[in-house]
Amino acid sequence: MTRALLPPVWRALPRRALAAAAVLGLLLAGLPRMQSGPPDPLVGLYALRAAALVFALGLAFLLDDPARHITSAVPARRPVRVALRVALIAPGAALCWTAALLLVPEETRPPVGALTLEAAATAVLALAAAALVVRRTQATEPGAVISAWLVVTGAVAFLLLPHDWVLFVTPEDRRWADTHDRWTLLLTVAAVVGARACVEPLKARPRPRAL
């Protein structure tokens, strides 16, 4: 059954949104190579963070399905359908992020593991939010709302989080390790919420009529 679902799931992927996010993200990651003058590590850091956000904005559209109320009637349950979508785009997402890292000159490239953690947490957060909207509402295309929410949330996190809870610091900052402990926590919570949101809600049993 899963193999039979692959062609229709592949055709239903929001290719335009995903392709646009991939192209724009790679362009942002390539900005450090376009600057004149000596390489600036801060440009590389924020170029990769911008690319990670744009990639996540594309993933926010992954669960868009205009035919959602028709496809929900197929025998395969929602977790299987969502897992197929994620599995189909995961290699491309990993390839895009690897290319983004390589586009930043090595001498200005921030710690790869830490930035990959930030990118993964942002991507999983976008997917979890989309899954939650699909579970809680009848929306068929939550991507636009989720992407706007993600941008606003990122801006609030950058500007308004307390000093002890800041998420965006430079590698030279003494809070770098503690900050990435919080990114790990955010990734874990987003993954758990996303997995739980993919489970179809149980239908309420009809109450017996009073005699």
Side-chain angles (χ1 to χ4, degrees), residues 110-166:
V112 170
L115 264 293
T116 300
L117 172 62
E118 293 182 18
T122 308
V124 174
L125 182 62
L127 291 172
L132 199 58
V133 170
V134 169
R135 178 183 171 88
R136 295 289 186 182
T137 72
Q138 296 298 310
T140 57
E141 297 179 286
V145 173
I146 297 304
S147 58
W149 171 82
L150 197 63
V151 170
V152 171
T153 301
V156 169
F158 183 75
L159 297 172
L160 301 180
L161 277 179
H163 181 270
D164 293 337
W165 286 92
V166 68

Tab-separated table of all heavy atoms in Angstrom, residues 110-166:
chain	number	residue	atom	x	y	z
A	110	PRO	N	30.767	29.261	10.219
A	110	PRO	CA	30.597	29.017	11.657
A	110	PRO	C	30.599	27.521	11.945
A	110	PRO	O	30.589	26.697	11.014
A	110	PRO	CB	29.220	29.638	11.952
A	110	PRO	CG	28.512	29.599	10.652
A	110	PRO	CD	29.540	29.752	9.584
A	111	PRO	N	30.622	27.125	13.222
A	111	PRO	CA	30.606	25.702	13.557
A	111	PRO	C	29.436	24.982	12.888
A	111	PRO	O	28.279	25.316	13.107
A	111	PRO	CB	30.469	25.707	15.086
A	111	PRO	CG	31.076	27.004	15.510
A	111	PRO	CD	30.736	27.974	14.422
A	112	VAL	N	29.756	23.984	12.082
A	112	VAL	CA	28.748	23.334	11.248
A	112	VAL	C	27.716	22.598	12.085
A	112	VAL	O	26.504	22.676	11.821
A	112	VAL	CB	29.441	22.367	10.256
A	112	VAL	CG1	28.408	21.499	9.550
A	112	VAL	CG2	30.263	23.155	9.251
A	113	GLY	N	28.167	21.886	13.105
A	113	GLY	CA	27.230	21.112	13.923
A	113	GLY	C	26.200	21.984	14.613
A	113	GLY	O	25.001	21.678	14.620
A	114	ALA	N	26.648	23.097	15.173
A	114	ALA	CA	25.738	23.993	15.891
A	114	ALA	C	24.726	24.626	14.941
A	114	ALA	O	23.534	24.713	15.247
A	114	ALA	CB	26.531	25.069	16.622
A	115	LEU	N	25.190	25.076	13.771
A	115	LEU	CA	24.272	25.698	12.810
A	115	LEU	C	23.308	24.667	12.219
A	115	LEU	O	22.146	24.980	11.935
A	115	LEU	CB	25.056	26.397	11.702
A	115	LEU	CG	25.293	27.889	11.887
A	115	LEU	CD1	23.980	28.650	11.804
A	115	LEU	CD2	25.958	28.188	13.232
A	116	THR	N	23.768	23.439	12.061
A	116	THR	CA	22.875	22.381	11.570
A	116	THR	C	21.799	22.084	12.599
A	116	THR	O	20.634	21.830	12.245
A	116	THR	CB	23.679	21.112	11.252
A	116	THR	OG1	24.658	21.419	10.242
A	116	THR	CG2	22.775	20.004	10.739
A	117	LEU	N	22.154	22.135	13.877
A	117	LEU	CA	21.158	21.968	14.934
A	117	LEU	C	20.110	23.071	14.864
A	117	LEU	O	18.895	22.801	14.968
A	117	LEU	CB	21.851	21.962	16.301
A	117	LEU	CG	20.944	21.979	17.534
A	117	LEU	CD1	20.061	20.739	17.580
A	117	LEU	CD2	21.777	22.092	18.806
A	118	GLU	N	20.542	24.306	14.691
A	118	GLU	CA	19.590	25.420	14.578
A	118	GLU	C	18.671	25.232	13.368
A	118	GLU	O	17.452	25.435	13.456
A	118	GLU	CB	20.349	26.744	14.447
A	118	GLU	CG	21.120	27.145	15.696
A	118	GLU	CD	21.807	28.500	15.524
A	118	GLU	OE1	21.409	29.242	14.594
A	118	GLU	OE2	22.727	28.804	16.307
A	119	ALA	N	19.255	24.836	12.240
A	119	ALA	CA	18.450	24.647	11.025
A	119	ALA	C	17.454	23.511	11.207
A	119	ALA	O	16.287	23.621	10.793
A	119	ALA	CB	19.376	24.359	9.841
A	120	ALA	N	17.893	22.408	11.829
A	120	ALA	CA	16.990	21.274	12.037
A	120	ALA	C	15.852	21.647	12.966
A	120	ALA	O	14.684	21.290	12.721
A	120	ALA	CB	17.780	20.085	12.610
A	121	ALA	N	16.152	22.367	14.034
A	121	ALA	CA	15.103	22.766	14.973
A	121	ALA	C	14.091	23.688	14.295
A	121	ALA	O	12.873	23.544	14.496
A	121	ALA	CB	15.724	23.461	16.186
A	122	THR	N	14.570	24.617	13.471
A	122	THR	CA	13.668	25.531	12.774
A	122	THR	C	12.780	24.780	11.786
A	122	THR	O	11.572	25.026	11.689
A	122	THR	CB	14.470	26.620	12.033
A	122	THR	OG1	15.377	27.243	12.947
A	122	THR	CG2	13.555	27.678	11.455
A	123	ALA	N	13.371	23.831	11.064
A	123	ALA	CA	12.606	23.052	10.094
A	123	ALA	C	11.556	22.192	10.775
A	123	ALA	O	10.394	22.136	10.345
A	123	ALA	CB	13.560	22.177	9.279
A	124	VAL	N	11.944	21.511	11.848
A	124	VAL	CA	10.997	20.643	12.560
A	124	VAL	C	9.895	21.475	13.210
A	124	VAL	O	8.736	21.063	13.263
A	124	VAL	CB	11.736	19.772	13.597
A	124	VAL	CG1	10.749	18.973	14.455
A	124	VAL	CG2	12.688	18.815	12.889
A	125	LEU	N	10.243	22.670	13.687
A	125	LEU	CA	9.235	23.562	14.258
A	125	LEU	C	8.194	23.937	13.202
A	125	LEU	O	6.986	23.940	13.478
A	125	LEU	CB	9.905	24.818	14.816
A	125	LEU	CG	8.986	25.830	15.503
A	125	LEU	CD1	8.318	25.213	16.724
A	125	LEU	CD2	9.776	27.080	15.902
A	126	ALA	N	8.642	24.245	11.985
A	126	ALA	CA	7.706	24.581	10.903
A	126	ALA	C	6.798	23.400	10.582
A	126	ALA	O	5.578	23.558	10.418
A	126	ALA	CB	8.484	25.012	9.660
A	127	LEU	N	7.374	22.199	10.488
A	127	LEU	CA	6.574	21.016	10.187
A	127	LEU	C	5.597	20.697	11.312
A	127	LEU	O	4.439	20.322	11.057
A	127	LEU	CB	7.497	19.820	9.941
A	127	LEU	CG	8.328	19.875	8.655
A	127	LEU	CD1	9.339	18.735	8.637
A	127	LEU	CD2	7.433	19.806	7.434
A	128	ALA	N	6.050	20.854	12.561
A	128	ALA	CA	5.172	20.579	13.699
A	128	ALA	C	4.000	21.550	13.729
A	128	ALA	O	2.852	21.154	13.997
A	128	ALA	CB	5.960	20.654	15.006
A	129	ALA	N	4.267	22.818	13.454
A	129	ALA	CA	3.187	23.811	13.438
A	129	ALA	C	2.183	23.494	12.337
A	129	ALA	O	0.966	23.594	12.537
A	129	ALA	CB	3.772	25.209	13.251
A	130	ALA	N	2.678	23.104	11.157
A	130	ALA	CA	1.781	22.747	10.065
A	130	ALA	C	0.938	21.527	10.429
A	130	ALA	O	-0.278	21.490	10.168
A	130	ALA	CB	2.583	22.482	8.797
A	131	ALA	N	1.558	20.524	11.033
A	131	ALA	CA	0.819	19.326	11.433
A	131	ALA	C	-0.236	19.647	12.485
A	131	ALA	O	-1.342	19.086	12.465
A	131	ALA	CB	1.789	18.265	11.963
A	132	LEU	N	0.101	20.566	13.379
A	132	LEU	CA	-0.853	20.949	14.426
A	132	LEU	C	-2.057	21.673	13.833
A	132	LEU	O	-3.203	21.429	14.233
A	132	LEU	CB	-0.144	21.828	15.453
A	132	LEU	CG	-0.792	21.968	16.832
A	132	LEU	CD1	-0.962	20.613	17.500
A	132	LEU	CD2	0.043	22.880	17.712
A	133	VAL	N	-1.807	22.559	12.863
A	133	VAL	CA	-2.913	23.259	12.221
A	133	VAL	C	-3.803	22.276	11.465
A	133	VAL	O	-5.037	22.361	11.513
A	133	VAL	CB	-2.378	24.354	11.270
A	133	VAL	CG1	-3.500	24.918	10.412
A	133	VAL	CG2	-1.728	25.472	12.072
A	134	VAL	N	-3.194	21.325	10.773
A	134	VAL	CA	-3.970	20.326	10.035
A	134	VAL	C	-4.822	19.496	10.990
A	134	VAL	O	-5.974	19.167	10.692
A	134	VAL	CB	-3.030	19.427	9.212
A	134	VAL	CG1	-3.778	18.221	8.654
A	134	VAL	CG2	-2.407	20.218	8.070
A	135	ARG	N	-4.269	19.168	12.136
A	135	ARG	CA	-5.018	18.350	13.099
A	135	ARG	C	-6.164	19.121	13.738
A	135	ARG	O	-7.259	18.602	13.934
A	135	ARG	CB	-4.076	17.834	14.186
A	135	ARG	CG	-4.770	17.011	15.277
A	135	ARG	CD	-3.783	16.601	16.363
A	135	ARG	NE	-4.460	16.006	17.502
A	135	ARG	CZ	-4.753	14.718	17.633
A	135	ARG	NH1	-4.429	13.885	16.657
A	135	ARG	NH2	-5.355	14.259	18.700
A	136	ARG	N	-5.910	20.399	14.045
A	136	ARG	CA	-6.875	21.170	14.829
A	136	ARG	C	-7.915	21.914	13.994
A	136	ARG	O	-8.915	22.371	14.539
A	136	ARG	CB	-6.122	22.192	15.694
A	136	ARG	CG	-5.222	21.562	16.752
A	136	ARG	CD	-6.039	20.934	17.848
A	136	ARG	NE	-5.189	20.443	18.942
A	136	ARG	CZ	-5.644	19.819	20.015
A	136	ARG	NH1	-6.949	19.620	20.136
A	136	ARG	NH2	-4.831	19.406	20.949
A	137	THR	N	-7.645	22.076	12.696
A	137	THR	CA	-8.559	22.857	11.862
A	137	THR	C	-8.901	22.070	10.606
A	137	THR	O	-8.376	20.982	10.364
A	137	THR	CB	-7.927	24.202	11.466
A	137	THR	OG1	-6.894	23.968	10.494
A	137	THR	CG2	-7.345	24.911	12.676
A	138	GLN	N	-9.748	22.670	9.788
A	138	GLN	CA	-10.110	22.087	8.504
A	138	GLN	C	-9.305	22.721	7.360
A	138	GLN	O	-9.626	22.517	6.189
A	138	GLN	CB	-11.606	22.295	8.249
A	138	GLN	CG	-12.509	21.574	9.237
A	138	GLN	CD	-12.315	20.061	9.180
A	138	GLN	OE1	-12.343	19.461	8.117
A	138	GLN	NE2	-12.107	19.455	10.332
A	139	ALA	N	-8.270	23.481	7.694
A	139	ALA	CA	-7.469	24.156	6.669
A	139	ALA	C	-6.821	23.134	5.743
A	139	ALA	O	-6.298	22.109	6.192
A	139	ALA	CB	-6.399	25.019	7.326
A	140	THR	N	-6.854	23.420	4.461
A	140	THR	CA	-6.224	22.528	3.486
A	140	THR	C	-4.832	23.012	3.080
A	140	THR	O	-4.017	22.218	2.622
A	140	THR	CB	-7.095	22.428	2.216
A	140	THR	OG1	-7.294	23.732	1.676
A	140	THR	CG2	-8.443	21.795	2.544
A	141	GLU	N	-4.567	24.307	3.247
A	141	GLU	CA	-3.269	24.858	2.863
A	141	GLU	C	-2.768	25.803	3.951
A	141	GLU	O	-2.841	27.035	3.824
A	141	GLU	CB	-3.392	25.592	1.524
A	141	GLU	CG	-3.790	24.665	0.375
A	141	GLU	CD	-3.946	25.399	-0.943
A	141	GLU	OE1	-4.949	26.117	-1.105
A	141	GLU	OE2	-3.050	25.254	-1.794
A	142	PRO	N	-2.227	25.245	5.041
A	142	PRO	CA	-1.788	26.090	6.162
A	142	PRO	C	-0.427	26.738	5.965
A	142	PRO	O	0.028	27.500	6.813
A	142	PRO	CB	-1.735	25.088	7.325
A	142	PRO	CG	-1.388	23.789	6.663
A	142	PRO	CD	-2.085	23.811	5.326
A	143	GLY	N	0.239	26.454	4.843
A	143	GLY	CA	1.618	26.902	4.668
A	143	GLY	C	1.819	28.390	4.796
A	143	GLY	O	2.771	28.842	5.445
A	144	ALA	N	0.931	29.182	4.179
A	144	ALA	CA	1.110	30.639	4.220
A	144	ALA	C	1.014	31.173	5.642
A	144	ALA	O	1.815	32.017	6.065
A	144	ALA	CB	0.064	31.307	3.325
A	145	VAL	N	0.054	30.664	6.394
A	145	VAL	CA	-0.114	31.110	7.779
A	145	VAL	C	1.083	30.695	8.621
A	145	VAL	O	1.611	31.480	9.421
A	145	VAL	CB	-1.420	30.546	8.365
A	145	VAL	CG1	-1.526	30.857	9.852
A	145	VAL	CG2	-2.625	31.107	7.618
A	146	ILE	N	1.529	29.459	8.448
A	146	ILE	CA	2.654	28.954	9.243
A	146	ILE	C	3.936	29.716	8.904
A	146	ILE	O	4.732	30.040	9.797
A	146	ILE	CB	2.850	27.450	9.004
A	146	ILE	CG1	1.618	26.668	9.465
A	146	ILE	CG2	4.083	26.942	9.746
A	146	ILE	CD1	1.236	26.888	10.898
A	147	SER	N	4.166	30.011	7.638
A	147	SER	CA	5.387	30.737	7.276
A	147	SER	C	5.381	32.146	7.870
A	147	SER	O	6.420	32.620	8.361
A	147	SER	CB	5.536	30.791	5.754
A	147	SER	OG	4.420	31.414	5.155
A	148	ALA	N	4.224	32.813	7.841
A	148	ALA	CA	4.144	34.142	8.458
A	148	ALA	C	4.386	34.046	9.958
A	148	ALA	O	5.108	34.871	10.542
A	148	ALA	CB	2.775	34.759	8.180
A	149	TRP	N	3.795	33.050	10.600
A	149	TRP	CA	3.996	32.850	12.042
A	149	TRP	C	5.467	32.584	12.355
A	149	TRP	O	6.001	33.092	13.344
A	149	TRP	CB	3.139	31.675	12.507
A	149	TRP	CG	3.434	31.243	13.905
A	149	TRP	CD1	2.979	31.786	15.062
A	149	TRP	CD2	4.301	30.142	14.296
A	149	TRP	NE1	3.493	31.115	16.156
A	149	TRP	CE2	4.294	30.109	15.711
A	149	TRP	CE3	5.044	29.212	13.586
A	149	TRP	CZ2	5.025	29.149	16.428
A	149	TRP	CZ3	5.784	28.265	14.300
A	149	TRP	CH2	5.763	28.247	15.698
A	150	LEU	N	6.126	31.823	11.488
A	150	LEU	CA	7.525	31.484	11.730
A	150	LEU	C	8.410	32.729	11.646
A	150	LEU	O	9.324	32.908	12.462
A	150	LEU	CB	7.981	30.440	10.705
A	150	LEU	CG	9.260	29.668	11.022
A	150	LEU	CD1	9.084	28.849	12.287
A	150	LEU	CD2	9.618	28.758	9.852
A	151	VAL	N	8.137	33.597	10.681
A	151	VAL	CA	8.911	34.832	10.553
A	151	VAL	C	8.716	35.713	11.781
A	151	VAL	O	9.678	36.250	12.344
A	151	VAL	CB	8.517	35.588	9.269
A	151	VAL	CG1	9.136	36.974	9.256
A	151	VAL	CG2	8.945	34.802	8.036
A	152	VAL	N	7.458	35.867	12.206
A	152	VAL	CA	7.173	36.701	13.381
A	152	VAL	C	7.823	36.106	14.625
A	152	VAL	O	8.425	36.827	15.443
A	152	VAL	CB	5.649	36.851	13.578
A	152	VAL	CG1	5.345	37.534	14.907
A	152	VAL	CG2	5.045	37.636	12.421
A	153	THR	N	7.721	34.794	14.775
A	153	THR	CA	8.322	34.129	15.940
A	153	THR	C	9.833	34.308	15.951
A	153	THR	O	10.433	34.559	17.009
A	153	THR	CB	7.971	32.635	15.932
A	153	THR	OG1	6.548	32.478	15.954
A	153	THR	CG2	8.561	31.926	17.145
A	154	GLY	N	10.462	34.186	14.779
A	154	GLY	CA	11.908	34.390	14.705
A	154	GLY	C	12.299	35.809	15.077
A	154	GLY	O	13.289	36.022	15.788
A	155	ALA	N	11.520	36.780	14.610
A	155	ALA	CA	11.818	38.177	14.943
A	155	ALA	C	11.662	38.435	16.437
A	155	ALA	O	12.490	39.110	17.058
A	155	ALA	CB	10.897	39.105	14.144
A	156	VAL	N	10.601	37.880	17.022
A	156	VAL	CA	10.386	38.055	18.466
A	156	VAL	C	11.509	37.398	19.248
A	156	VAL	O	12.034	37.967	20.229
A	156	VAL	CB	9.016	37.468	18.862
A	156	VAL	CG1	8.879	37.392	20.375
A	156	VAL	CG2	7.890	38.312	18.281
A	157	ALA	N	11.904	36.194	18.835
A	157	ALA	CA	12.984	35.493	19.530
A	157	ALA	C	14.285	36.277	19.440
A	157	ALA	O	15.075	36.315	20.396
A	157	ALA	CB	13.169	34.099	18.937
A	158	PHE	N	14.521	36.913	18.307
A	158	PHE	CA	15.763	37.667	18.115
A	158	PHE	C	15.773	38.967	18.923
A	158	PHE	O	16.802	39.364	19.483
A	158	PHE	CB	15.948	37.978	16.629
A	158	PHE	CG	17.232	38.679	16.305
A	158	PHE	CD1	18.425	37.987	16.294
A	158	PHE	CD2	17.240	40.036	16.018
A	158	PHE	CE1	19.616	38.639	16.003
A	158	PHE	CE2	18.419	40.691	15.725
A	158	PHE	CZ	19.608	39.993	15.715
A	159	LEU	N	14.611	39.617	19.017
A	159	LEU	CA	14.556	40.960	19.598
A	159	LEU	C	14.123	40.995	21.054
A	159	LEU	O	14.588	41.857	21.820
A	159	LEU	CB	13.607	41.842	18.777
A	159	LEU	CG	13.997	42.093	17.317
A	159	LEU	CD1	12.878	42.815	16.592
A	159	LEU	CD2	15.302	42.885	17.233
A	160	LEU	N	13.255	40.088	21.458
A	160	LEU	CA	12.577	40.262	22.740
A	160	LEU	C	12.863	39.204	23.800
A	160	LEU	O	12.441	39.375	24.937
A	160	LEU	CB	11.046	40.327	22.505
A	160	LEU	CG	10.559	41.453	21.581
A	160	LEU	CD1	9.041	41.395	21.445
A	160	LEU	CD2	10.985	42.817	22.122
A	161	LEU	N	13.543	38.126	23.440
A	161	LEU	CA	13.817	37.118	24.464
A	161	LEU	C	14.759	37.688	25.529
A	161	LEU	O	15.670	38.457	25.208
A	161	LEU	CB	14.445	35.873	23.842
A	161	LEU	CG	13.485	34.856	23.210
A	161	LEU	CD1	14.270	33.693	22.629
A	161	LEU	CD2	12.469	34.348	24.232
A	162	PRO	N	14.551	37.303	26.793
A	162	PRO	CA	15.452	37.771	27.859
A	162	PRO	C	16.892	37.338	27.608
A	162	PRO	O	17.149	36.382	26.865
A	162	PRO	CB	14.875	37.097	29.120
A	162	PRO	CG	13.483	36.728	28.772
A	162	PRO	CD	13.459	36.464	27.302
A	163	HIS	N	17.802	38.035	28.245
A	163	HIS	CA	19.235	37.793	28.061
A	163	HIS	C	19.585	36.329	28.326
A	163	HIS	O	20.421	35.739	27.622
A	163	HIS	CB	20.026	38.707	29.007
A	163	HIS	CG	21.510	38.550	28.888
A	163	HIS	ND1	22.225	37.638	29.646
A	163	HIS	CD2	22.412	39.191	28.089
A	163	HIS	CE1	23.508	37.722	29.332
A	163	HIS	NE2	23.648	38.658	28.394
A	164	ASP	N	18.970	35.723	29.347
A	164	ASP	CA	19.305	34.350	29.713
A	164	ASP	C	18.658	33.314	28.810
A	164	ASP	O	18.941	32.123	28.930
A	164	ASP	CB	18.881	34.078	31.165
A	164	ASP	CG	19.706	34.882	32.158
A	164	ASP	OD1	20.833	35.271	31.801
A	164	ASP	OD2	19.223	35.132	33.270
A	165	TRP	N	17.755	33.725	27.915
A	165	TRP	CA	17.064	32.779	27.048
A	165	TRP	C	17.304	33.080	25.571
A	165	TRP	O	16.616	32.555	24.700
A	165	TRP	CB	15.566	32.809	27.333
A	165	TRP	CG	15.238	32.125	28.613
A	165	TRP	CD1	15.131	32.685	29.845
A	165	TRP	CD2	15.018	30.729	28.792
A	165	TRP	NE1	14.839	31.735	30.796
A	165	TRP	CE2	14.760	30.523	30.171
A	165	TRP	CE3	14.993	29.635	27.935
A	165	TRP	CZ2	14.498	29.261	30.704
A	165	TRP	CZ3	14.730	28.374	28.453
A	165	TRP	CH2	14.496	28.199	29.820
A	166	VAL	N	18.286	33.909	25.278
A	166	VAL	CA	18.558	34.287	23.893
A	166	VAL	C	18.923	33.045	23.068
A	166	VAL	O	19.539	32.097	23.560
A	166	VAL	CB	19.695	35.330	23.856
A	166	VAL	CG1	21.019	34.714	24.293
A	166	VAL	CG2	19.814	35.935	22.482
